[in-house]
Amino acid sequence: MLGLDASTGISRTNLWACMGLGLLGTAVITFLPAAQPYLLTDALGLSGDELGRTTGYLQVAAEVALILSLVWYGALADRVGRRPVAVAGLLLCAVGAALYPFAGNVAVLVVLRVVFALGIAALNVTMSAITADYVRDHARGKAYGWLGLFSGIGAVIAVLVLVRLPNMLENGGMAPATAAKVGFLVVAGLVLLGALALRGTLAPGLAAPVEQRVGLTRLVGEGVRLARDPGVALSYAASFVARADLALVASFLSLWIVDYAKAVRGMSATEALAKSGAIVGIAYMVIVVGAPLFGWLGDRMRRQDVVILAQALAAAAYLSTLLVSDPLGPGMMLVAAAVGLGEVGVITTAGPLLAQQVPARFRGASFGVQTLCGAIGIFVVSGVGGWLYDLWRPAAPFALAGACGLLVALFGLVVRNRVTPSPDAASTTDQPAGR
């Protein structure tokens, strides 16, 4: 399927289900944050400072929930199996999305955002672990490339179709509050149907035998201790930069373009958003197309070398934003394309490296720690970058991400010849790791 060499016991249906999980999971992960402004303004009637504070509360609550739960989800996936955790993640997302527009106050909204974030955490861990389980090591780069492609398609579907559902319903005659409720319920229903379908098409796998089960605390500890391996440490560091890069494209690139268009060019908010969407769309288009490219490279180069290459490309792309004086000019189009290529590189290369470095029985725990590093990266780079955006210049968050990427690339050059794949990392679905 798609040129992938499946692990023992994995069928073509299982592989398609893995890619379907990437598409559906990314679609729902993208949907709620993108649709949230419509809900807060048109359905709940928030405005001004109240809108900003509420958005901040929701984002902080979501990130805290992610950070506190990621490593435990990874350990749980090693103990009871990947499929139950993945399906549970989809169900939590469905519950959060279904109830979100019915929240009567900000406190309830924060609780529901936490529920949704717990679902996101489960999906982030299991999408990576399942991909590593289902494909033999020599094809894992390609597998992560295809996963990136399907995830990108899911994000596009969320932005172009799902997010617009409430507005389409409102244009059809519904009141804003009713349109929001119906739109969110439709999305929740689709996620629920997808969860049921994946429950029957993902490989059932095996839970660890009772006599071999390791406590969750020990599994989490193993995920942290594995960082003593140079390859694992490089993968964790690359994930720190990769997730932060994703946050920059989603937030600061749009903010920079909109601010400039309104303040310097005198455009209306609608015109500014249209310009922003066109330029950010270039980055996302390159992300979708570039994912298979880096997957292909990941199977033809040493995994640590392709991680270093991706980090260097991403660093160069982000630092090039310092040369942009007019974010609406043609130069920004090239920078956006370079940023998209660098971003997809760092996202798709860290996973295969980690998969080859850790024993299969600890794969879930290690992916949980890797995703945790990414969540911390978002906190650090977005927080410091936002501060520098105001005090220095709009390109500052990208320059910070570029500097971090250079440090990771340099660290990779130092340890590249000390990275030795683990002999226990082979994916065999007839053993506990392949569940």
Side-chain angles (χ1 to χ4, degrees):
M1 193 278 283
L2 299 175
L4 302 178
D5 188 6
S7 300
T8 304
I10 294 299
S11 68
R12 184 174 300 177
T13 299
N14 299 146
L15 287 172
W16 280 115
C18 175
M19 300 301 152
L21 176 63
L23 189 151
L24 179 62
T26 307
V28 68
I29 288 171
T30 305
F31 164 75
L32 191 138
Q36 184 172 277
Y38 174 89
L39 177 67
L40 296 179
T41 56
D42 289 35
L44 299 182
L46 301 182
S47 61
D49 293 340
E50 187 180 19
L51 179 61
R53 286 196 303 270
T54 301
T55 302
Y57 294 152
L58 294 173
Q59 186 62 36
V60 169
E63 287 300 321
V64 169
L66 280 170
I67 288 175
L68 293 180
S69 64
L70 282 167
V71 294
W72 299 103
Y73 273 128
L76 192 64
D78 281 335
R79 184 179 172 96
V80 304
R82 322 286 193 228
R83 187 174 70 175
V85 178
V87 172
L90 288 171
L91 293 178
L92 285 171
C93 286
V95 170
L99 298 180
Y100 214 60
F102 293 92
N105 54 62
V106 173
V108 175
L109 207 61
V110 169
V111 171
L112 293 175
R113 190 70 174 88
V114 167
V115 171
F116 191 84
L118 292 175
I120 290 176
L123 292 175
N124 281 336
V125 171
T126 52
M127 280 192 288
S128 296
I130 288 173
T131 304
D133 287 342
Y134 281 16
V135 180
R136 299 186 189 278
D137 182 68
H138 67 86
R140 281 184 184 143
K142 186 184 297 182
Y144 276 86
W146 284 119
L147 181 68
L149 174 65
F150 279 88
S151 297
I153 293 172
V156 171
I157 291 173
V159 172
L160 297 183
V161 180
L162 300 183
V163 170
R164 297 185 178 184
L165 280 177
N167 187 255
M168 292 167 58
L169 294 170
E170 184 180 346
N171 291 337
M174 283 190 183
T178 304
K181 292 175 182 177
V182 173
F184 274 66
L185 285 173
V186 168
V187 172
L190 292 174
V191 175
L192 179 60
L193 290 176
L196 294 176
L198 291 171
R199 174 66 179 81
T201 52
L202 289 171
L206 303 170
V210 175
E211 65 275 10
Q212 297 180 15
R213 288 189 177 181
V214 178
L216 291 181
T217 302
R218 182 186 165 191
L219 283 170
V220 170
E222 287 293 339
V224 174
R225 280 189 290 273
L226 284 167
R228 291 177 293 186
D229 178 280
V232 174
L234 178 58
S235 178
Y236 286 174
S239 180
F240 177 95
V241 176
R243 287 285 303 279
D245 287 355
L246 192 63
L248 290 178
V249 173
S251 55
F252 286 105
L253 188 60
S254 298
L255 179 62
W256 182 7
I257 297 167
V258 170
D259 277 354
Y260 183 88
K262 292 168 66 178
V264 179
R265 296 288 185 86
M267 293 183 181
S268 67
T270 303
E271 291 173 325
L273 285 173
K275 288 287 186 180
S276 170
I279 295 174
V280 173
I282 292 173
Y284 279 110
M285 187 178 299
V286 173
I287 287 173
V288 172
V289 175
L293 170 63
F294 276 96
W296 179 81
L297 285 175
D299 291 333
R300 284 158 180 78
M301 298 171 60
R302 293 191 305 177
R303 297 276 162 71
Q304 62 269 33
D305 290 340
V306 76
V307 167
I308 295 168
L309 173 64
Q311 291 290 330
L313 287 175
Y318 281 98
L319 289 172
S320 70
T321 59
L322 293 172
L323 303 176
V324 175
S325 58
D326 180 4
L328 297 178
M332 192 60 168
M333 302 288 186
L334 296 176
V335 169
V339 164
L341 186 64
E343 181 185 334
V344 73
V346 297
I347 290 173
T348 57
T349 55
L353 173 61
L354 182 61
Q356 77 169 23
Q357 294 300 123
V358 300
R361 64 186 182 279
F362 297 130
R363 186 173 294 147
S366 64
F367 274 106
V369 175
Q370 184 197 53
T371 312
L372 172 62
C373 291
I376 295 173
I378 290 178
F379 252 139
V380 173
V381 175
S382 295
V384 177
W387 181 71
L388 291 174
Y389 182 99
D390 291 331
L391 293 183
W392 181 27
R393 56 191 295 183
F398 302 93
L400 176 61
C404 291
L406 278 180
L407 290 176
V408 174
L410 291 173
F411 172 66
L413 290 173
V414 171
V415 304
R416 63 191 291 264
N417 292 323
R418 292 164 46 201
V419 175
T420 304
S422 169
D424 298 324
S427 177
T428 52
T429 56
D430 51 349
Q431 293 180 5
R435 43 194 184 271

